Amino acid sequence: MNATVVFARKEALEIVRTWRIVVLPAIILFFAVSAPLLARFTPEIVRAVGGDQLGAITLPDATYVDAYAQWTQSLGQTFLFALIIIYGGIVSFETSSGTAILVLTKPMSRGALVAVKAVTHSVFLAALVIIGSLVTWGVTAAVFGQAPLEPLWSGTLVWLVLGVFYVTLMTFLSVVVPSAAGAAGAGIGSFVLLTIGALWRPLADYSPAGLAGRAAALAAEQPVPGLLGPVLVSLAAAVALVVAAAVLFRRKEL
Amino acid sequence: MSSAIRTSALTKSYGRELVVDALDLDVEEGSIFGFLGPNGAGKTTTLRLATGLARPTSGSIRILGQDVAAVGSAVRSEIGFLPDVPAFYGWMTAPEFLRFAGGLFGMSGAALRERTEMLLDLAGLTDVTSRIGGFSRGMKQRLGIAQALINAPRLLLLDEPTSALDPMGRKDVLDMITALRGRTTVFFSTHILGDVERVCDTVAILDHGRLVTQASIHELKARHGTGKVVVEVIGNSDVLAREFSERRWATATARGDNGRIEIKVTDLRAAQHDIPTMVAAHGSGLARLEAGEIGLEEVFVELVGGDR
């Protein structure tokens, strides 16, 4: 069997048999369940807290659109934060712990190691997001009695492109920065820059910076012009980041 | 005989620190080669260069006739490597790790299963079902040796393979290395001289990154005398020490306290025969006469111990 396939199987098994199978799934399931509930009860909570201070302001009743907006917002902020921190050591953990030495002194190329990690964890992320979407769809239907699939899927899929971009960004940073905490810090810095960058229209139109806003808009059934630009640029950037990570890792001394 | 490892002016430096200094090494295929040196001599770095984990600053290293810098997995498919502190995926079991290691070499099916079972038996881990994360250092070391043998390598590179093992574990590993004689080239670094003396055909001694010597153990001992005699005489010790050093069988003489004289000799029997006669001829007393074969340790200390 090909060494790359064997290593990919190891990566998949490692996800299933270590803390990785608990942390990200737990976070995403929490958001999947809490998003519709939070959306449903937010107006009542605000009314209860605000009381007479709201005066003549009337809060509209929540709908499934609010549940979907809450879901994509959670994915785009807290979940991305967790993802960045968790994947800070996606490559460097193998080198710092010494496990890479036993793997890379066998017929397994360094480039393949990096690529396998990026691909396996992107697939894992996709599976998590799909399961999370199904859960949030079910809870939304139960809470609101109405939960059309299209806005949820389109918003989530656009977010998934952003998620894959961040997995590859962390793969790259984990090769460049030897410590997991350092790479996570650099990842959070990139996240802040992209979030601020989204305010500048040209950057939002042609970079991953514009994806979070577009995902939220799609989930809220709002028109989203120019979706292809940031999606294609993000996918190309993801590929470029993996290639760059592989090239840098080949030059590294272990 | 072709070379399993050949280095030519191999040099590795980290910044201004020279770790391996113009190393010229030639390891014959089929030999059991001991790579000796004190801690920090550059042994591990040389092994990292041999496995492609690090790149030389200058010079070259050829493994099984192929330039390590130019070829990738082609040469790695023919070597087995055990680092000084092997690290495993703690969530795997020993059989799982061996199957994983074999899979990286393209092994599968019955061949991999049989090889895994054989190596688990060799490592004494057949009935161990727990995860590697709970293994002792000795168990990890034995598993490390097993994984290095999974592909039946032509060249086995071992970095301090016995350092973490208890006496029984050490014996097992050395027996295993001995059993590979003639089938696999074994290159192992160590500072345990007894291990080298027991199993190696040839040794190289490294100090401060430089090759001090490379020779067969027999040749090395012959070069530095084959035996050592320690005598303690009562009276005339200066005169006797001078007379001992003038004998044909003496290669070096050293004076100690209380009439102690240490003599390195090429002919132990002749020395044992002559020394009591010479002591008696001077009317001196012979308090002690101890003779024995010179060990690699004495050679090692003589070669690298001078500036320590």
Side-chain angles (χ1 to χ4, degrees), chain B residues 184-247:
Chain B
T184 298
T185 308
V186 183
F187 180 90
F188 79 94
S189 79
T190 185
H191 55 251
I192 304 174
L193 302 165
D195 292 354
V196 172
E197 208 161 3
R198 203 172 130 192
V199 299
C200 291
D201 316 314
T202 314
V203 294
I205 297 178
L206 198 68
D207 189 31
H208 292 106
R210 293 190 74 90
L211 185 68
V212 178
T213 189
Q214 179 182 339
S216 70
I217 289 196
H218 181 72
E219 190 188 329
L220 201 61
K221 285 183 180 176
R223 246 192 249 163
H224 295 269
T226 57
K228 187 171 81 172
V229 179
V230 179
V231 294
E232 278 179 26
V233 296
I234 301 160
N236 301 312
S237 59
D238 288 335
V239 178
L240 281 165
R242 195 177 60 246
E243 284 191 12
F244 292 153
S245 67
E246 287 166 358
R247 289 293 164 127

Side-chain angles (χ1 to χ4, degrees), chain A residues 17 94 106 251 253-254, chain B residues 12 48 55 89 147:
Chain A
R17 288 170 57 177
E94 293 262 5
K106 296 178 173 60
R251 291 181 185 168
E253 297 210 346
L254 301 176
Chain B
K12 179 68 185 175
R48 290 175 61 236
R55 283 186 304 280
Y89 300 107
Q147 66 80 33

Side-chain angles (χ1 to χ4, degrees), chain B:
Chain B
M1 191 70 97
S2 59
S3 296
I5 303 174
R6 176 171 284 172
T7 70
S8 175
L10 185 69
T11 302
K12 179 68 185 175
S13 58
Y14 292 101
R16 290 163 65 182
E17 191 189 352
L18 201 56
V19 183
V20 177
D21 187 3
L23 181 66
D24 290 314
L25 204 61
D26 195 353
V27 179
E28 267 186 17
E29 202 161 356
S31 64
I32 298 182
F33 195 99
F35 196 44
L36 275 170
N39 290 332
K43 304 186 296 291
T44 296
T45 303
T46 305
L47 278 163
R48 290 175 61 236
L49 293 167
T51 49
L53 293 171
R55 283 186 304 280
T57 305
S58 62
S60 68
I61 180 161
R62 296 182 78 82
I63 298 289
L64 301 167
Q66 300 179 83
D67 190 338
V68 174
V71 294
S73 49
V75 73
R76 291 199 300 271
S77 64
E78 296 194 90
I79 66 170
F81 176 55
L82 170 73
D84 52 350
V85 184
F88 302 93
Y89 300 107
W91 51 271
M92 282 188 183
T93 62
E96 281 173 343
F97 190 83
L98 289 182
R99 284 196 291 271
F100 168 65
L104 292 175
F105 283 104
M107 298 168 72
S108 61
L112 179 57
R113 213 165 33 247
E114 281 167 23
R115 187 85 185 148
T116 299
E117 282 169 15
M118 191 270 281
L119 289 169
L120 283 172
D121 185 43
L122 186 78
L125 297 169
T126 301
D127 298 321
V128 180
T129 53
S130 58
R131 292 180 176 192
I132 299 169
F135 279 18
S136 68
R137 190 160 174 218
M139 290 165 82
K140 284 182 182 170
Q141 197 78 358
R142 297 204 304 271
L143 178 61
I145 293 168
Q147 66 80 33
L149 288 168
I150 192 79
N151 58 327
R154 270 176 73 191
L155 172 62
L156 184 60
L157 301 165
L158 306 170
D159 193 3
E160 309 272 5
T162 56
S163 58
L165 301 176
D166 59 23
M168 285 308 295
R170 259 179 70 194
K171 182 186 175 300
D172 291 344
V173 169
L174 293 175
D175 287 348
M176 185 200 75
I177 291 172
T178 308
L180 293 170
R181 192 187 300 279
R183 288 186 287 146
T184 298
T185 308
V186 183
F187 180 90
F188 79 94
S189 79
T190 185
H191 55 251
I192 304 174
L193 302 165
D195 292 354
V196 172
E197 208 161 3
R198 203 172 130 192
V199 299
C200 291
D201 316 314
T202 314
V203 294
I205 297 178
L206 198 68
D207 189 31
H208 292 106
R210 293 190 74 90
L211 185 68
V212 178
T213 189
Q214 179 182 339
S216 70
I217 289 196
H218 181 72
E219 190 188 329
L220 201 61
K221 285 183 180 176
R223 246 192 249 163
H224 295 269
T226 57
K228 187 171 81 172
V229 179
V230 179
V231 294
E232 278 179 26
V233 296
I234 301 160
N236 301 312
S237 59
D238 288 335
V239 178
L240 281 165
R242 195 177 60 246
E243 284 191 12
F244 292 153
S245 67
E246 287 166 358
R247 289 293 164 127
R248 189 177 289 173
W249 39 257
T251 56
T253 310
R255 284 291 318 278
D257 297 334
N258 304 322
R260 181 187 162 98
I261 307 166
E262 266 188 37
I263 316 145
K264 280 190 183 154
V265 300
T266 52
D267 187 340
L268 204 56
R269 287 175 71 91
Q272 282 173 303
H273 183 267
D274 289 356
I275 288 170
T277 313
M278 293 165 74
V279 172
H282 281 280
S284 303
L286 185 60
R288 178 182 169 207
L289 190 151
E290 199 176 290
E293 290 281 314
I294 197 166
L296 189 58
E297 190 168 331
E298 279 91 349
V299 177
F300 181 81
V301 169
E302 191 182 319
L303 288 171
V304 305
D307 55 347
R308 268 160 225 285

